[in-house]
Every structure is written in C-alpha cells, then in structure tokens.
Amino acid sequence: MHSAAGVQRCSDSVFARRHRHADWPARTAYYLARTYVDQLRGGEQYGGIVPAIGIHLMGFDLFLDPAQACWWFEIRDRDQPSCRLTETLQWNMIELPKADRLLAARRSGTLAAWVAFFQHGQDETVMSTITHPPVRQTLDELKRLSADEEARHMAMVRERALRDEASFVRDAKAEGRAEGQIEIARRLIQQLDLDDATIAELTGLGPDEVSRLRRSAAD
C-alpha cells in the first residue's frame, strides 16, 4: 500500500476458506481486529501501529451481486463513503467461484491467472493456458515439492523394508532355525519385495546364487 512517504509497512493475514457458515463475517472481523490489537504491548505508542489487512480467498459466494467478485472494505462514513476514518483496517475478499465465472472468457491478466490457479490448479488443460510468470513459477515449485515428497516416501519405504529384512534374518537365526542361508534367501524372495543385491548382502550369498533361487521360485 502506498502513501506520499512511500511504501508503508503492514500486517497481512491471508485466509482461504472453502465453505461458508453463518458466523463467517463475525469471525473474519474478529481475527483481523486481533491482528490489529496484538501489535502493541504495554506502554507502546499508537504511532507504531501498521495497517492490518485481511486477504480472503473464498470458495463460496458471499454476496448476491452476480457481477462483482472482488470486494474491498474499510471503515468509512455511511452517508459519505469517500470519507474514510482510517486505513489501518482493511478487508479484501475474492469470491473464487464467482470470479472464475466472470473471468472464464479470458485467462490473461494477473487476477484471472491466480483465480484459475486456485480453482483449477489440478487441471493441466486449464493451467497449460496460463502464462503469467508468478503462477507458472508457483506451479513449477509445487511440482518440485511433489517430486521431492515422492522421493522421500520411496526412501522411507526402502529404509523400512531393509529394517524389516534385517529383523527377519536376526529372528530366524535367534530361533535356531536350520534353514541356512539358502532357505532364508528363498523366504526373502517370496515374502519381501527386494532386489537380488540386497538379499545377497543380507544373507551372505552371491548375487548369481540369489538370481538362480529367484528363477527357481518362479518356475
């Protein structure tokens, strides 16, 4: 937000809500007021207060006007709306379903691109038409995070499998079972999804011997 002195500091709160409930307006006002009030501690001056701005991305239509989806509320006089008491409390609301309907004919522009992202982020056909660089960067980052999460999951699965395998071998030896290395290898092949190199490492057999046992088990 800008003034004659330049860019002011502000305290932003961003909320996303999919479903509407009866107390939503009161809840919104309450938490923005809390953000505003919590800035000061005992003995601090009011001059240190910065604007508290609530940004609400709503997955529902709050107002009946079919032609407006973006709303900006401040503390103004009822009879003279141009007379603003203060700019330190602001509510910015976007009704995403309505905005999506109003902007469906065009996907260009900053607002249209972000609305498409929030409403159709999983739809590759729609997102392929979005060229706004910040949205494209966000999509790329989400893909990277998703890939990293999948890699972490696979590493965790493998680590857990290795631990289970080691426990399996230790239990077999501790119980005095006489199956020997070959029998343990057979059981690992049958019961766990392990590659030949891992089974060879666990049992002390050679990789070729494990491969032979696997082919024998498949016959």
Side-chain angles (χ1 to χ4, degrees):
M1 112 183 261
H2 299 273
S3 68
V7 179
Q8 294 183 342
R9 294 181 299 119
C10 64
S11 177
D12 293 334
S13 296
V14 180
F15 301 91
R17 188 165 187 87
R18 183 172 297 274
H19 303 294
R20 177 182 180 178
H21 60 81
D23 295 330
W24 189 86
R27 178 181 183 275
T28 300
Y30 173 79
Y31 282 109
L32 188 64
R34 282 286 301 272
T35 301
Y36 184 70
V37 170
D38 288 348
Q39 294 182 58
L40 293 185
R41 299 294 181 265
E44 293 182 341
Q45 300 297 313
Y46 294 114
I49 294 178
V50 298
I53 301 174
I55 302 172
H56 299 268
L57 307 175
M58 303 181 297
F60 55 89
D61 293 345
L62 183 63
F63 303 104
L64 297 178
D65 189 337
Q68 182 175 344
C70 301
W71 305 85
W72 180 18
F73 295 97
E74 294 181 313
I75 300 178
R76 295 175 179 266
D77 182 71
R78 181 182 63 183
D79 297 323
Q80 298 185 55
S82 62
C83 183
R84 179 174 58 189
L85 176 64
T86 176
E87 62 179 10
T88 55
L89 282 172
Q90 297 178 19
W91 289 262
N92 295 271
M93 303 178 182
I94 300 179
E95 300 166 302
L96 291 172
K98 190 189 300 182
D100 188 46
R101 293 193 297 271
L102 294 173
L103 298 171
R106 59 181 180 88
R107 292 298 183 190
S108 60
T110 300
L111 179 60
W114 282 113
V115 168
F117 171 76
F118 285 113
Q119 288 295 95
H120 307 285
Q122 302 298 319
D123 189 330
E124 294 185 1
T125 300
V126 174
M127 298 315 298
S128 66
T129 66
I130 304 301
T131 59
H132 186 52
V135 174
R136 298 305 317 171
Q137 292 169 9
T138 301
L139 288 169
D140 291 341
E141 180 65 11
L142 288 175
K143 290 179 181 179
R144 185 190 69 78
L145 291 174
S146 178
D148 289 348
E149 181 64 26
E150 180 65 20
R152 285 193 294 270
H153 175 70
M154 294 304 297
M156 182 185 69
V157 169
R158 177 169 175 78
E159 180 181 0
R160 183 172 58 194
L162 287 173
R163 288 176 177 172
D164 290 345
E165 298 149 20
S167 178
F168 178 85
V169 173
R170 286 196 303 269
D171 289 347
K173 292 179 178 178
E175 292 175 9
R177 294 176 181 172
E179 293 91 348
Q181 292 174 308
I182 293 178
E183 184 59 27
I184 291 176
R186 286 198 181 102
R187 294 180 62 183
L188 289 173
I189 291 171
Q190 294 172 356
Q191 298 179 21
L192 297 172
D193 185 16
L194 302 174
D195 56 35
D196 292 352
T198 300
I199 294 176
E201 181 180 353
L202 290 171
T203 60
L205 295 175
D208 292 341
E209 178 67 10
V210 174
S211 179
R212 184 188 66 78
L213 291 172
R214 187 181 297 279
R215 289 195 300 271
S216 175
D219 292 339

